[in-house]
Amino acid sequence: MGKRRHEALQPLSRHHHYALVVAMHLTRQEQPPEALMAELRQFWEDGGQSHFREEEEILLPAYAKYGSLDRDEIAQMLLDHVKIRSLVSRALEDGDPSVLVELGTILRAHVHLEEQVVFPLIEETLQEPDLTRLAPFFEEHRASSPYARREEPQEHG
């Protein structure tokens, strides 16, 4: 029986779902580039950047106490982070919409890598108390995000 994602990692998995929606829009290109860039900016500033940091600064160091970092999937995960940051920078800072399809493709593959390979590895490697101890670190930024949708319908500034 496939067990559910550990509660501590659920906020990251929920954010992955958001990432997949954005990735799909970027690759399908059914909206004008300006709309896609705006959606990308919202995603990136509303947790995308912090999500990567949480994985790099909290999740992987916790995993490394018990598991080997010398694994292809971990190396791939970190390389993806660098590649995605670079493409996001080209899109949002350099205003280059030509990278959006590539970005969407890599983002999608990256989420699948984490959900299907890396997270299950972490869940089976970490002890229960350690996983539970991580939970607050992944909750906070979603709840306190100034961009959190639904709570604040008015847009000004």
Side-chain angles (χ1 to χ4, degrees):
M1 284 172 56
K3 69 183 173 79
R4 294 296 312 131
R5 176 73 63 235
H6 189 280
E7 210 174 304
L9 299 181
Q10 281 176 12
L12 292 175
S13 286
R14 278 195 294 274
H15 196 261
H16 281 161
H17 183 75
Y18 178 19
L20 284 177
V21 172
V22 173
M24 185 180 69
H25 293 160
L26 294 177
T27 48
R28 284 192 184 162
Q29 300 272 298
E30 289 165 359
Q31 298 140 286
E34 308 75 61
L36 293 171
M37 299 276 254
E39 184 178 9
L40 175 62
R41 183 176 301 280
Q42 166 104 31
F43 163 75
W44 192 241
E45 292 173 357
D46 181 15
Q49 307 182 66
S50 359
H51 178 105
F52 279 10
R53 263 187 238 120
E54 288 169 5
E55 289 174 343
E56 292 164 14
E57 296 172 10
I58 299 161
L59 190 60
L60 287 181
Y63 160 80
K65 288 181 189 173
Y66 304 100
S68 170
L69 288 172
D70 188 17
R71 300 180 67 113
D72 291 345
E73 55 269 59
I74 304 284
Q76 185 62 55
M77 172 184 174
L78 292 169
L79 279 175
D80 285 354
H81 281 193
V82 175
K83 223 183 287 184
I84 290 165
R85 283 189 178 107
S86 167
L87 290 170
V88 167
S89 165
R90 280 172 63 187
L92 299 182
E93 291 163 33
D94 311 342
D96 178 2
S98 75
V99 300
L100 294 179
V101 174
E102 186 186 353
L103 177 56
T105 307
I106 290 177
L107 190 56
R108 180 166 170 268
H110 177 67
V111 167
H112 288 311
L113 171 75
E114 289 188 348
E115 284 293 327
Q116 291 162 18
V117 184
V118 178
F119 281 15
L121 170 70
I122 286 170
E123 285 170 332
E124 73 191 32
T125 306
L126 277 180
Q127 313 296 311
E128 175 61 38
D130 292 281
L131 264 175
T132 305
R133 197 181 305 141
L134 298 179
F137 295 105
F138 304 135
E139 279 304 347
E140 278 160 15
H141 84 87
R142 296 304 310 276
S144 62
S145 166
Y147 301 96
R149 282 165 308 289
R150 290 193 251 317
E151 284 89 88
E152 306 275 336
Q154 77 276 20
E155 296 208 30
H156 43 68

